[in-house]
Amino acid sequence: MSGSPESPERHQRNEQRLGPVVRRRGQVMSGTADQRLLDTRGPSDWVHGDPWRVLRIQSEFVEGFGALAELGPAVSVFGSARTAPGAPEYELGRRIGRGLAEAGFAVITGGGPGAMEAANRGASEGGGVSVGLGIELPFEQGLNDYVDIGVNFRYFFVRKTMFVKYAQGFLVLPGGLGTLDELFEALTLVQTQKVTRFPIVLVGTAYWRGLADWVRETVIAQGKASEKDLALFHVTDDVDDAIARVTKP
C-alpha cells in the first residue's frame, strides 16, 4: 500500500551506526573502521612527513624520560669512540667511571665503544649504575656490554636533552667532533643560564690546553666572549679533583 512506512528490515539495511555517528541511505559506508584500518594498502609517504616525525620525536622524549626519571644523581662522561681498550685514555675513563660509582653517582655515556665503554665499565666495576644513550648512525656502533640501562635515539637533539637533564655535570675526556659538540652545547647552556650550577671538567691537560688557550687568546681577546666565560670549565689531570668538582652539592 502506497505511503506505508518502510519495513523494519529495509530500515535496518539503510542505517549504519559508527560510534556516535548515524549514517542512512546513500551515506552508508561499506565495511567497518577496523576493516579499513587493517585492509588498506595505500601510499606510505605519510611515514616520512613532518607530522609523523613530530610523533616520533615525542615518543623518544617519552621513552627517555621514562627510562631515566628514577635514575638518581648522575654525571655524563664524554670521550672518543676510537680510544683503544688498554690505552692510557681508556684506563683514565675506567678510573673515572669507578670513582663516580663509588661516590654514589650513576654514569651516563653515549653507550658506544672507546672512552664511553671505559667509563661504563668503570661504573659497573664500582657497583654503580651504567647508562648508555645510543644514537642511530649510518655505521653500526651499538651499545657496549657494560651498559645497564640503554636507550637508543634517532635524533641527536633528544639525546642531548637526556645528557643534560639527568646529569649534574659533565666530565669530558679527549675526543673528536662528537665530544666537542657535546662540550660546546653544554658551555652554551651554562653561559646563557639555560642550566644552572652545571660543572664542566675537561680531563687531560695535554689534550685540552690548546683549546683553552685558543678560547682565551683568540675568542676572548677579540671580544667574542668575556673573561668570565673561562670559569665555565676547568681543565685537570687529577681524577679525584675532577670527580670532586662534578659531585659536590
Side-chain angles (χ1 to χ4, degrees), residues 162-239:
M162 304 302 157
F163 279 132
V164 176
K165 179 173 176 57
Y166 292 104
Q168 71 170 55
F170 279 6
L171 281 176
V172 189
L173 295 165
L177 297 181
T179 301
L180 292 172
D181 177 48
E182 297 291 354
L183 168 60
F184 278 96
E185 178 93 15
L187 289 172
T188 302
L189 290 173
V190 177
Q191 182 200 49
T192 57
Q193 298 182 27
K194 293 294 185 180
V195 294
T196 57
R197 214 226 152 259
F198 196 84
I200 301 167
V201 180
L202 313 184
V203 185
T205 55
Y207 191 85
W208 295 113
R209 185 182 298 115
L211 176 64
D213 290 344
W214 174 75
V215 171
R216 180 186 303 104
E217 297 170 8
T218 301
V219 180
I220 293 175
Q222 294 186 14
K224 306 299 190 296
S226 64
E227 189 73 26
K228 67 180 181 180
D229 290 332
L230 285 173
L232 298 177
F233 63 92
H234 176 75
V235 183
T236 185
D237 287 318
D238 188 330
V239 171

